[in-house]
Amino acid sequence: MTKTYYLTTPIYYVNGKPHIGHAYTSILCDTFARFHRMLGEPVFYITGTDEHGIKVQKAAQEQKKEPRAFVDEIVPQFKELWRVMGIQYDYFIRTTDDDHKKVVQKILADLEKKGDIYKAKYQGWYCTPCESFWTELQLKDGKCPDCNRAVDRLEEENYFFKLSKYQAWLIQYIEDHPAFIQPEYRKNEVLGFLKEPLEDLCITRPKARLTWGIEYPGSKDHVVYVWFDALVNYVTGAGYLQDDKKFKSLWPADIHLVGKDILRQHAVFWPIMLKTMGVEMPKLVFAHGWWRIGGAKMSKSVGNVVDPIAIVQKYGSDVLRYFLLNEVTLGLDGTYSEDLLAERYSSDLANSLGNLWHRTASMIEKYFEGKVPQGKQESRFYDPKGLWEDVSKAILSYDPREAVARIWAVITRANQRVEETKPWILAKDVSKKGELADVLFNLADSVAHVAVLLQAFMPDTAHKMLNRLKMTHGETIGHVSEFCKPLVTAGTVLEKGEPLFPRFEEKKS
Ligand code: ME8
């Protein structure tokens, strides 16, 4: 059976509306998924919502709603954003789904039988917003070391998962599989963290404090800690303990893409959970950086979030996709500002890609009655094979910014080609008609090559371009050998259409 390319986003908390940070992870996964689909591979892209825990219970209480009614209202907002952004996921998991709850309970019962879970009294500090327990030594100036907020003193009986038992195994695993955690600097960070003794993980919360969670199978008085519940989504969504055939075709996940804020859960808790469950490790945990505003991380708790829907309404989803994919190398932090986005819009989209389309279509309209002329492939001014290979290599090594740069190098080269060949001068000389046809044929063909590749990055724009080029076969090109052929056909009547990216001044009016 062919292994399906299986990729995951974090499942997002539903304690507020999604923002640009959430859109970022989902856009990245969507780009990878679309590229693999283009290569003809089966793909399974899963995303969803993390609906239990204190954060959500509190958010519901603040709105005087039952948690279930509250989450049922928020989930459609996530789905709507993904629709608007063109996110083609294959499965949307909610941790309140019955099958998910059953799998979590079954795993816990198995682990308890195995002796990897024990009950104990806990005394220490607790950060409510982070839902994390801390020892005296771990506190930073008496505050939560993760979020720097005040912590509460707690004493309660809970169930604990023996992380410590597997610490040595995990260190060895990470060292033996250097590509398991990426970027490399994040792997080193995890190994650094593992130098300290690993505390066992408290995996329940007493119902006296939290009722909104999956009931712990061994106790009427506890619910499951939200992170244990949440991480399991990656296997439940793949059919674990429900559909062996499906699970076999999907697991191990090819990539868990997460923000660096939740690396520890994915690179420490999750591998150990899988190890005790006897399930193979995912191939890769990739942590991307944060979008910041000013100096601060964009986050619900800071309250500096940008609504992606507003940006999409103003600029279109592809513009936001382009900005987020291109602005920083995957792994690093980026600064978000609408001014910066508007700047990229005008330089890279309107003046570069939009201009290339517009002048190519206009000249073909003017000099060849709108029909692609017959030209010689030998007059090509770029190398499609190299382009395909570079873009594929970049995507397969999770470097979308490099992939975008390769595509834009061709766009820039094509615009230069117009300046070099000056078709408007060639057009004045009838003896140069053949030369003019070569130039315009190859310009149109370069636009076609760009459009095919852009399907993964800017799907709306790519489809618009393919339609205007009347390239019905554009969506089926999945191999370098097909890609290297001339893609446009002489005689095709192009549809120039409205500017792909109207100048911003025109847009505002
Ligand atoms: O952590 N920049 O959910 P969450 C970049 N439910 N990415 C950002 C970001 C920012 N400023 N802010 C958020 C949770 N993200 C858990 C996950 S998974 C089993 C459970 C993205 O709603 C980034 O992917 O807080 C980050 O990891 C995720 O949203 C956190 O979303």
Side-chain angles (χ1 to χ4, degrees), residues 11 13 19 21-22 25 50 227 259 261-262 288-291 298:
I11 47 171
Y13 285 129
H19 61 73
H22 304 114
T25 322
D50 190 357
W227 266 105
D261 45 326
I262 54 174
H288 66 64
W290 285 339
W291 286 98
M298 188 189 295

Side-chain angles (χ1 to χ4, degrees), residues 18 63 322 351 426 436:
Q63 295 201 12
Y322 174 81
N351 292 344
L426 297 177
L436 180 64

Side-chain angles (χ1 to χ4, degrees), residues 73-353:
E73 271 172 34
I74 302 273
V75 169
Q77 297 180 12
F78 276 87
K79 289 190 172 168
E80 173 60 9
L81 174 63
W82 305 147
R83 191 189 64 75
V84 167
M85 305 268 345
I87 305 293
Q88 287 182 336
Y89 54 80
D90 296 288
Y91 188 61
F92 191 101
I93 185 162
R94 299 182 55 175
T95 51
T96 47
D97 291 341
D98 277 341
D99 49 356
H100 172 75
K101 289 195 224 168
K102 281 191 195 126
V103 173
V104 170
Q105 288 176 327
K106 172 88 176 64
I107 291 172
L108 285 165
D110 286 351
L111 297 194
E112 208 178 312
K113 247 188 247 146
K114 234 181 135 180
D116 281 342
I117 289 176
Y118 61 93
K119 197 173 182 183
K121 192 157 239 152
Y122 174 82
Q123 259 183 331
W125 297 98
Y126 187 68
C127 174
T128 307
C130 292
E131 302 195 37
S132 303
F133 290 95
W134 302 109
T135 61
E136 188 77 39
L137 278 178
Q138 286 172 318
L139 296 184
K140 231 163 76 196
D141 302 325
K143 300 221 168 109
C144 169
D146 271 1
C147 73
N148 206 29
R149 277 178 282 209
V151 285
D152 301 313
R153 186 83 196 158
L154 268 191
E155 191 185 320
E156 59 190 30
E157 194 156 67
N158 272 314
Y159 290 82
F160 288 81
F161 173 48
K162 286 188 186 164
L163 285 186
S164 54
K165 180 173 156 190
Y166 296 96
Q167 176 161 10
W169 166 81
L170 180 61
I171 295 171
Q172 195 61 50
Y173 186 87
I174 297 172
E175 279 171 354
D176 291 347
H177 300 83
F180 176 53
I181 303 168
Q182 291 182 43
E184 198 182 347
Y185 48 87
R186 296 279 170 232
K187 176 190 83 176
N188 297 334
E189 208 176 282
V190 173
L191 284 173
F193 171 79
L194 287 170
K195 285 208 172 98
E196 299 296 322
L198 201 50
E199 303 267 332
D200 288 342
L201 183 67
C202 179
I203 50 160
T204 55
R205 298 293 180 264
K207 276 197 187 159
R209 214 152 51 74
L210 173 71
T211 49
W212 182 235
I214 299 178
E215 194 158 285
Y216 187 77
S219 161
K220 287 260 167 288
D221 302 324
H222 292 89
V223 292
V224 179
Y225 171 44
V226 66
W227 266 105
F228 194 99
D229 160 5
L231 288 162
V232 168
N233 96 84
Y234 298 131
V235 289
T236 352
Y240 182 60
L241 301 181
Q242 308 146 78
D243 182 343
D244 283 352
K245 195 164 160 235
K246 179 177 173 190
F247 191 62
K248 261 207 186 103
S249 75
L250 294 178
W251 199 260
D254 289 82
I255 176 172
H256 292 315
L257 183 67
V258 298
K260 65 179 183 181
D261 45 326
I262 54 174
L263 176 61
R264 194 157 25 103
Q265 289 86 341
H266 285 82
V268 178
F269 301 173
W270 182 228
I272 294 182
M273 285 165 67
L274 289 167
K275 169 77 180 158
T276 67
M277 285 154 61
V279 174
E280 210 178 321
M281 293 301 123
K283 290 187 192 158
L284 169 62
V285 174
F286 198 117
H288 66 64
W290 285 339
W291 286 98
R292 297 178 181 274
I293 290 219
K297 179 194 174 199
M298 188 189 295
S299 85
K300 279 172 273 198
S301 50
V302 180
N304 59 351
V305 300
V306 176
D307 175 7
I309 300 259
I311 298 296
V312 168
Q313 278 167 350
K314 190 159 167 191
Y315 297 88
S317 66
D318 277 358
V319 177
L320 182 58
R321 289 176 71 112
Y322 174 81
F323 179 79
L324 296 177
L325 290 169
N326 179 54
E327 198 61 19
V328 288
T329 299
L330 195 59
L332 302 179
D333 287 357
T335 298
Y336 178 85
S337 84
E338 194 181 332
D339 283 351
L340 214 54
L341 182 135
E343 213 173 289
R344 301 287 181 255
Y345 177 91
S346 107
S347 62
D348 302 1
L349 299 177
N351 292 344
S352 191
L353 175 58

